[in-house]
């Protein structure tokens, strides 16, 4: 099979028939063999009934329905597991992405050696309150991940080589960082394609303003996990040592100062009357806490089932 189109959806009943017909038209025009995997993320409207009737009309449609709403990442993960096509395309269900982009995306993966092609909504039809934080978010992600050729990490329209989707695990709300996950998994040919973007036709956005806070927290998690998951002590250890040493040096300074005062017969303050004493106390305590956290994290990661999971490219 050439192409699997994975569509995560939550309460998108109005858009689905139009989207499905459009994808079918593009696929038939280019004679692709394909499947459309619709993952209903616990919709409360009639989305599932719509999917059932679409499946009755078109044998290429398959549907998966969650019992409750788990989020876009979960829906993508399940869609990725089910996908059988050589090229996997994800797109939002709300008709903001155009299926007309599929042939070029397919060509880039199939014939031009790309592992992942991410859409870039160069001209966006979203409110300013969304586009400005998104710019900031993208530039931070770019510099932290080293993927400097992407302008738009969170575009719903993306294409993947099959290997990529079978090697990565999208969980929590990590769908915003799939290119980063792909890079960690060793897929380096990550490209970008300018795509058309439309205003939302039906319904409303499914993510509130909290998306930005969550997005940045996830960004920190993903870099911590990507870099230190297999060696957490390398993160906590140095911080602990630095903090501990600061505390020890201050303590030594306080002791020497007091001894000198005694030796010289000059007036001195009690060690506990000096602000520095409390600073040293805090620094030593935090230092040892960080160290212990490092040990515990090492024990946790030793028990992780994927502690020895590596992505092997080839064996001869
Ligand atoms: N979506 C989903 N589960 C959720 C939230 C969203 O499957 O919990 C789907 C949604 O139906 C749409 C896509 O994810 O197909 C993108 O969502 P939306 O268009 O609301 O996001 P925006 O365009 O505002 O970034
Ligand atoms: Mg949308």
């Amino acid at each position: 099979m050439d192409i699997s189109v994975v569509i995560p959806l939550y309460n998108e009943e109005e858009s689905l028939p139009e989207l499905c017909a459009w994808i079918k038209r593009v696929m038939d025009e280019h004679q692709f063999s394909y499947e459309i995997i619709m993952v209903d993320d616990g919709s409360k409207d009639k989305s599932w009934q719509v999917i059932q009737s679409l499946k009755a009309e078109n044998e290429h449609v398959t549907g998966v329905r969650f019992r409750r709403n788990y989020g876009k990442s979960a829906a993508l993960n399940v869609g990725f597991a089910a996908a059988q096509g050589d090229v996997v395309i994800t797109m939002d269900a709300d008709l903001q992405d155009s299926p007309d982009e599929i042939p070029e995306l397919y060509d880039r993966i199939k014939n031009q050696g790309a592992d992942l092609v991410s859409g870039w909504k160069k001209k966006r039809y979203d409110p300013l309150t969304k586009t400005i934080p998104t710019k900031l978010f993208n530039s931070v992600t770019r510099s932290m991940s080293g993927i400097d050729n992407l302008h738009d990490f969170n575009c719903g329209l993306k294409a993947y080589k099959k290997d990529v989707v079978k090697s990565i695990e999208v969980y929590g709300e990590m769908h915003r960082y799939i290119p980063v996950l792909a890079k960690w998994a060793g897929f380096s040919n990550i490209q970008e394609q300018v795509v058309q973007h439309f205003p939302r036709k039906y319904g409303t956005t499914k993510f509130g303003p909290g998306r930005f806070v969550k997005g940045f927290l996830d960004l920190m998690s993903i870099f911590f996990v990507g870099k230190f998951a297999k060696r957490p002590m390398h993160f906590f250890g140095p911080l602990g040592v630095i903090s501990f040493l600061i505390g020890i040096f201050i303590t030594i300074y306080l002791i020497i100062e007091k001894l000198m005062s005694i030796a010289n017969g000059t007036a001195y303050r009690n060690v506990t009357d000096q602000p520095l004493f409390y600073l040293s106390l805090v620094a030593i305590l935090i230092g040892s806490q960080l160290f212990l956290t490092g040990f515990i994290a090492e024990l946790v990661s030793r028990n992780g089932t994927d502690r020895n999971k590596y992505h092997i490219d080839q064996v001869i």
Side-chain angles (χ1 to χ4, degrees), residues 66-269:
F66 283 162
R67 231 177 249 288
R68 68 170 181 86
N69 179 241
Y70 285 102
K72 187 176 178 185
S73 293
L76 284 174
N77 202 49
V78 166
F80 285 165
Q84 288 169 11
D86 298 337
V87 173
V88 179
I89 307 237
T90 57
M91 62 168 56
D92 290 352
D94 53 1
L95 293 167
Q96 289 195 272
D97 304 323
S98 160
D100 287 328
E101 311 283 353
I102 292 176
E104 192 183 335
L105 288 169
Y106 176 81
D107 183 59
R108 291 247 210 147
I109 301 277
K110 197 74 186 171
N111 305 321
Q112 298 177 38
D115 293 318
L116 187 164
V117 184
S118 182
W120 174 19
K121 298 165 282 192
K122 198 168 181 180
K123 183 149 179 29
R124 288 185 72 146
Y125 294 90
D126 282 319
L128 268 187
T129 49
K130 186 165 157 197
T131 49
I132 291 175
T134 301
K135 278 217 165 79
L136 179 70
F137 156 88
N138 278 313
S139 76
V140 175
T141 313
R142 226 177 0 252
S143 63
M144 286 183 76
S145 65
I147 307 176
D148 42 23
N149 59 335
L150 289 198
H151 292 85
D152 187 2
F153 279 81
N154 188 20
C155 182
L157 182 56
K158 287 191 173 61
Y160 309 82
K161 204 157 77 178
K162 187 181 188 177
D163 273 356
V164 177
V165 304
K166 301 292 180 192
S167 309
I168 59 176
E169 204 174 321
V170 197
Y171 66 96
E173 294 197 10
M174 293 300 178
H175 59 267
R176 299 192 179 91
Y177 302 101
I178 298 182
V180 184
L181 296 177
K183 192 182 168 193
W184 288 125
F187 296 97
S188 52
N189 195 337
I190 297 175
Q191 301 183 5
E192 181 168 74
Q193 175 174 322
V194 175
V195 296
Q196 251 192 312
H197 185 238
F198 303 101
R200 210 180 220 285
K201 201 164 168 184
Y202 307 103
T204 53
T205 177
K206 305 299 182 294
F207 297 99
R211 70 196 303 165
F212 300 113
V213 179
K214 292 181 193 158
F216 276 107
L217 292 176
D218 283 347
L219 185 66
M220 288 195 277
S221 308
I222 199 173
F223 283 101
F224 177 75
V225 171
K227 240 184 149 71
F228 295 108
K230 291 203 163 79
R231 49 189 185 98
M233 194 51 158
H234 290 186
F235 176 78
F236 293 106
L239 292 178
V241 169
I242 290 170
S243 180
F244 196 82
L245 285 182
I246 290 175
I248 290 290
F249 283 131
I250 297 177
T251 311
I252 292 175
Y253 167 79
L254 288 174
I255 292 172
I256 291 178
E257 195 195 28
K258 179 153 182 178
L259 290 179
M260 299 259 286
S261 308
I262 294 175
N264 298 335
T266 49
Y268 60 83
R269 285 190 293 170

Side-chain angles (χ1 to χ4, degrees), residues 8-70:
L9 62 109
Y10 179 56
N11 295 344
E12 309 279 6
E13 57 182 4
E14 303 100 328
S15 315
L16 294 178
E18 226 168 291
L19 180 68
C20 194
W22 193 352
I23 294 174
K24 180 175 171 5
R25 197 168 68 230
V26 173
M27 295 295 182
D28 290 346
E29 255 169 41
H30 292 80
Q31 290 166 359
F32 288 129
S33 57
Y34 71 103
E35 62 179 349
I36 304 177
I37 304 172
M38 300 200 168
V39 187
D40 179 355
D41 185 11
S43 296
K44 295 185 175 60
D45 64 359
K46 296 213 168 54
S47 296
W48 184 246
Q49 282 89 317
V50 175
I51 293 172
Q52 283 174 321
S53 66
L54 289 171
K55 185 175 172 62
E57 287 164 23
N58 184 345
E59 55 177 15
H60 301 288
V61 173
T62 56
V64 179
R65 183 191 198 185
F66 283 162
R67 231 177 249 288
R68 68 170 181 86
N69 179 241
Y70 285 102

Side-chain angles (χ1 to χ4, degrees), residues 224 227-241 287-301:
F224 177 75
K227 240 184 149 71
F228 295 108
K230 291 203 163 79
R231 49 189 185 98
M233 194 51 158
H234 290 186
F235 176 78
F236 293 106
L239 292 178
V241 169
S288 13
Q289 294 281 16
L290 282 168
F291 230 87
L292 292 178
T293 309
F295 280 130
I296 292 177
E298 284 288 337
L299 290 178
V300 171
S301 98

